[in-house]
């Protein structure tokens, strides 16, 4: 059970009950947060309070800037007829290279290195062409991390992961296991590139994994939902912190206002939003290690590094803890029971 179900406080019993009964439930729409805020406003007589969504995370375009110093000319290409490398270069120069996406370019670089290694084995004499192919393959392998980074920052399948989505996510949303599998393969690709294990890579799988990510868009739905919920938690908590004990539960007066607030908290946060956030945390705890392996060397790494102040998972947990902590203080100050 996640953070939201672990509270050593007056709320312990009711939170435990809510979590056990409703952990599998998720809200049917994002309206629950707005209804929760609206009901709090009605009790607190708040004016002009409105929930807003977080700002968009910008993914800057990345140019790999990796011009290979060694090139293979047409005459030299003719000498490579016995190698699969010749066909690969010709296809890339004639058609594929003109419309290649960053993922296609990365795939080509890997195929070139693999084919070059095979081709070099067929040379009987180590002539100038042999050395040129060898040098080109070495240069391309050194530049692979940049080609991988260009794919992450320029391909829509990855860029869209950081965009806000208007589509809701819940336990019935398709694509979680498929996305985990695809991200595992992308993470493995990154590790092979960084460790120089190019022959262990199947370049054809790169496009296949991107097709999976594009089909489900699960990363976008999950990251967007977590960021939006975090922002809502922070805004509602900030609203509540504006009110003193005297305003919430005046001395020598009945505690009807405080009790009404408690009912709103239990109905909308404990019974609906807390289980929903437990679901988000669970999904993020599975995917964040993969996000970290894949994005760690980019400017987006701070959003997935476990020890970063900007980490999406950690921010969601902190915002929920801060919100529940306020309510714990509320029950103590107003001396009413959460049950």
């Amino acid at each position: 059970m996640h953070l939201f179900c672990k509270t050593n406080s007056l709320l312990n019993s009711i939170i435990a009950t809510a979590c056990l009964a409703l952990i599998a439930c998720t809200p049917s729409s994002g309206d629950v947060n707005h209804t929760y805020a609206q009901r709090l406003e009605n009790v607190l007589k708040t004016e002009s309070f409105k929930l807003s969504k977080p700002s968009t995370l910008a993914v800057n375009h990345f140019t790999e800037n990796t011009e290979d110093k060694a090139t293979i000319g047409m005459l030299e290409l003719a000498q490579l007829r016995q190698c699969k490398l010749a066909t690969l270069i010709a296809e890339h120069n004639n058609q594929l290279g003109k419309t290649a996406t960053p993922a296609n370019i990365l795939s080509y670089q890997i195929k070139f290195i693999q084919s070059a290694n095979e081709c070099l084995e067929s040379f009987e004499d180590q002539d100038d062409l042999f050395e040129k192919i060898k040098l080109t393959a070495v240069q391309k392998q050194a530049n692979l991390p940049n080609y991988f980074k260009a794919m992450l920052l320029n391909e829509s399948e990855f860029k869209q992961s950081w965009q806000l989505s208007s589509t809701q996510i819940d336990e019935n949303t398709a694509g979680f296991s498929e996305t985990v599998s695809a991200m595992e393969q992308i993470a493995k690709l990154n590790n092979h590139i960084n460790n120089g294990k190019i022959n262990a890579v199947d370049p054809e799988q790169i496009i296949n994994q991107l097709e999976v990510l594009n089909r489900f868009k699960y990363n976008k739905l999950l990251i967007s939902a977590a960021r939006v919920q975090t922002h809502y938690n922070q805004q509602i908590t900030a609203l509540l912190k504006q009110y003193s004990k005297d305003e919430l539960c005046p001395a020598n007066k009945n505690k009807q206002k405080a009790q009404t607030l408690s009912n709103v908290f239990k109905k909308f946060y404990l019974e609906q939003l807390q289980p929903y956030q437990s679901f988000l945390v669970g999904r993020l705890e599975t995917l964040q290690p993969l996000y970290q392996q894949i994005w760690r060397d980019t400017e987006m790494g701070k959003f997935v590094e476990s020890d970063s102040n900007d980490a999406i998972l950690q921010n969601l947990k902190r915002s929920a803890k801060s919100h529940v902590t306020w309510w714990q203080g509320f029950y103590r100050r107003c001396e009413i029971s959460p049950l």
Side-chain angles (χ1 to χ4, degrees), residues 175-187 209 212-213 287 290:
F176 175 62
S177 60
E178 292 87 349
T179 299
V180 170
S181 178
M183 295 298 279
E184 286 174 341
Q185 294 305 311
I186 297 296
Q209 305 311 328
V212 172
L213 299 181
L287 280 164
L290 298 173

Side-chain angles (χ1 to χ4, degrees), residues 165-226:
S165 173
S166 59
T167 303
Q168 300 299 308
I169 186 173
D170 59 33
E171 290 192 346
N172 297 317
T173 302
F176 175 62
S177 60
E178 292 87 349
T179 299
V180 170
S181 178
M183 295 298 279
E184 286 174 341
Q185 294 305 311
I186 297 296
K188 188 180 295 184
L189 167 65
N190 193 25
N191 289 334
H192 285 328
I193 287 174
N194 290 331
N195 294 323
K197 297 180 179 179
I198 309 307
N199 289 333
V201 176
D202 180 0
E204 299 296 341
Q205 286 299 311
I206 297 174
I207 304 302
N208 293 340
Q209 305 311 328
L210 262 65
E211 289 175 350
V212 172
L213 299 181
N214 186 59
R215 181 161 71 250
F216 294 106
K217 297 178 176 60
Y218 201 93
N219 290 327
K220 175 182 178 180
L221 296 177
L222 179 60
I223 292 174
S224 173

Side-chain angles (χ1 to χ4, degrees), residues 36-252:
Y36 177 45
Q38 184 63 55
R39 295 296 175 85
L40 291 174
E41 285 182 76
N42 292 343
V43 179
L44 296 170
K45 310 296 185 187
T46 303
E47 295 182 2
S48 66
F49 174 78
K50 185 176 181 181
L51 288 176
S52 64
K53 289 190 175 181
S55 59
T56 300
L57 296 178
V59 182
N60 296 321
H61 183 82
F62 177 77
T63 302
E64 57 267 28
N65 242 348
T66 53
E67 289 292 326
D68 297 317
K69 295 178 181 178
T71 57
I72 298 175
M74 294 302 295
L75 293 177
E76 292 169 321
L77 195 60
Q79 300 177 46
L80 300 176
R81 285 192 300 271
Q82 78 276 17
C83 294
K84 185 169 63 175
L85 180 63
T87 302
L88 180 68
I89 295 173
E91 290 178 348
H92 182 76
N93 290 342
N94 292 338
Q95 296 177 355
L96 299 180
K98 297 177 182 178
T99 58
T101 66
N104 292 133
I105 293 173
L106 173 62
S107 179
Y108 168 74
Q109 306 302 320
I110 295 171
K111 289 178 181 177
F112 184 102
I113 295 166
Q114 293 173 340
S115 298
N117 292 335
E118 293 176 5
C119 188
L120 291 175
E121 294 177 358
S122 67
F123 276 75
E124 295 182 3
D125 300 317
Q126 295 187 12
D127 57 10
D128 291 342
L129 182 55
F130 177 97
E131 294 300 328
K132 183 174 286 190
I133 294 173
K134 184 177 179 180
L135 175 60
T136 304
V138 169
Q139 290 176 347
K140 287 184 179 296
Q141 182 157 334
N143 288 331
L144 280 182
N146 282 329
Y147 286 113
F148 183 83
K149 185 175 180 180
M151 178 181 71
L152 291 182
L153 298 177
N154 301 338
E155 283 284 5
S156 62
E157 286 80 2
F158 289 106
K159 289 181 68 175
Q160 70 183 358
S161 298
W162 307 102
Q163 298 170 356
L164 293 180
S165 173
S166 59
T167 303
Q168 300 299 308
I169 186 173
D170 59 33
E171 290 192 346
N172 297 317
T173 302
F176 175 62
S177 60
E178 292 87 349
T179 299
V180 170
S181 178
M183 295 298 279
E184 286 174 341
Q185 294 305 311
I186 297 296
K188 188 180 295 184
L189 167 65
N190 193 25
N191 289 334
H192 285 328
I193 287 174
N194 290 331
N195 294 323
K197 297 180 179 179
I198 309 307
N199 289 333
V201 176
D202 180 0
E204 299 296 341
Q205 286 299 311
I206 297 174
I207 304 302
N208 293 340
Q209 305 311 328
L210 262 65
E211 289 175 350
V212 172
L213 299 181
N214 186 59
R215 181 161 71 250
F216 294 106
K217 297 178 176 60
Y218 201 93
N219 290 327
K220 175 182 178 180
L221 296 177
L222 179 60
I223 292 174
S224 173
R227 293 190 66 236
V228 169
Q229 186 59 51
T230 298
H231 201 54
Y232 286 167
N233 285 344
Q234 292 168 340
Q235 291 173 84
I236 296 175
T237 304
L239 169 68
L240 293 171
K241 285 182 176 180
Q242 296 175 21
Y243 293 86
S244 66
K245 175 183 176 181
D246 289 340
E247 292 173 294
L248 298 173
C249 41
N252 302 320

Side-chain angles (χ1 to χ4, degrees), residues 280-306:
L280 294 179
V281 167
R283 291 294 195 252
L284 280 170
E285 286 180 336
T286 298
L287 280 164
Q288 178 170 281
L290 298 173
Y291 293 161
Q292 188 169 335
Q293 290 180 59
I294 292 168
W295 290 94
R296 63 192 173 201
D297 295 325
T298 73
E299 67 210 45
M300 312 307 289
K302 63 183 179 179
F303 298 115
V304 294
E305 293 284 354
S306 58

